[in-house]
Amino acid sequence: SHLVTVEAEKDLQLTHLIQIIRDAIEAEYPASYLETLVHSLESLCLIKNLFATVDADTSRCIEALRNTYRTDLPLDPIAASLGYSTEYFIRMFKKKLGVSPHQYAISLRMSDAVRMLARGASLEEIAAVTGYTDGHSFANAFRRYYGISPGVYRKHYAGSV
């Protein structure tokens, strides 16, 4: 796969994440944090269909996850609706996109969360929209994904999203 040319300045979310990565590199953050940020960049590129070699089957899988990522719907019915066993669906998805369906769904949730944080939404509101049981479980998931709390993110970065 290769990336499609994108004018990052026109995509504030992409620009913002690239700036966070630059800042983290300059601040010499731990490698594990940088790795998490790079995975976030990769996920964002996947979400925005910036990879040029996505075939029709993969596109159907992505669309199915986009339609269900805010719910706790198990993969079984999603895979079955596409004509796959759950095991095959997971293997095929990971092989084609480099992330599991679960990781992809989390990246979609976190993408929504970042936009909502920038708009000033409460943690409870974000949790309700993104499929978490409450603000606390959302905050824990956000911290695991980005390595910082939603409050720190909002304070330092949300103004540029």
Side-chain angles (χ1 to χ4, degrees):
S1 296
H2 64 279
L3 286 175
V4 176
T5 302
V6 175
E7 292 184 47
E9 310 81 51
K10 292 185 180 179
D11 187 319
L12 293 177
Q13 201 173 21
L14 192 58
T15 301
H16 173 66
L17 185 53
I18 291 168
Q19 186 59 51
I20 291 172
I21 292 170
R22 284 183 189 144
D23 292 347
I25 291 169
E26 288 175 15
E28 298 180 3
Y29 277 42
S32 60
Y33 179 67
L34 292 171
E35 186 177 327
T36 300
L37 291 174
V38 170
H39 285 300
S40 298
L41 178 61
E42 180 182 29
S43 296
L44 184 59
C45 290
L46 285 169
I47 291 166
K48 294 178 176 284
N49 289 322
L50 299 180
F51 288 102
T53 58
V54 176
D55 59 37
D57 271 352
T58 306
S59 182
R60 284 182 34 225
C61 293
I62 290 170
E63 189 60 31
L65 283 174
R66 283 186 177 168
N67 291 333
T68 60
Y69 74 92
R70 290 183 174 134
T71 66
D72 284 329
L73 186 65
L75 288 179
D76 299 348
I78 297 169
S81 73
L82 297 167
Y84 303 128
S85 71
T86 303
E87 294 78 18
Y88 177 79
F89 174 69
I90 292 169
R91 271 195 325 273
M92 186 264 308
F93 194 93
K94 188 164 185 163
K95 181 180 178 185
K96 299 261 184 167
L97 297 174
V99 295
S100 71
H102 178 72
Q103 290 167 322
Y104 184 76
I106 289 173
S107 71
L108 292 171
R109 287 177 170 191
M110 291 300 148
S111 180
D112 284 352
V114 164
R115 285 190 297 275
M116 293 180 74
L117 280 169
R119 289 194 309 258
S122 73
L123 298 185
E124 294 297 328
E125 290 171 309
I126 296 170
V129 169
T130 57
Y132 291 95
T133 55
D134 56 37
H136 182 71
S137 63
F138 159 70
N140 286 336
F142 189 92
R143 192 175 294 105
R144 277 191 307 275
Y145 191 80
Y146 286 111
I148 59 175
S149 72
V152 169
Y153 178 88
R154 190 187 320 253
K155 181 178 179 184
H156 293 286
Y157 301 110
S160 61
V161 174

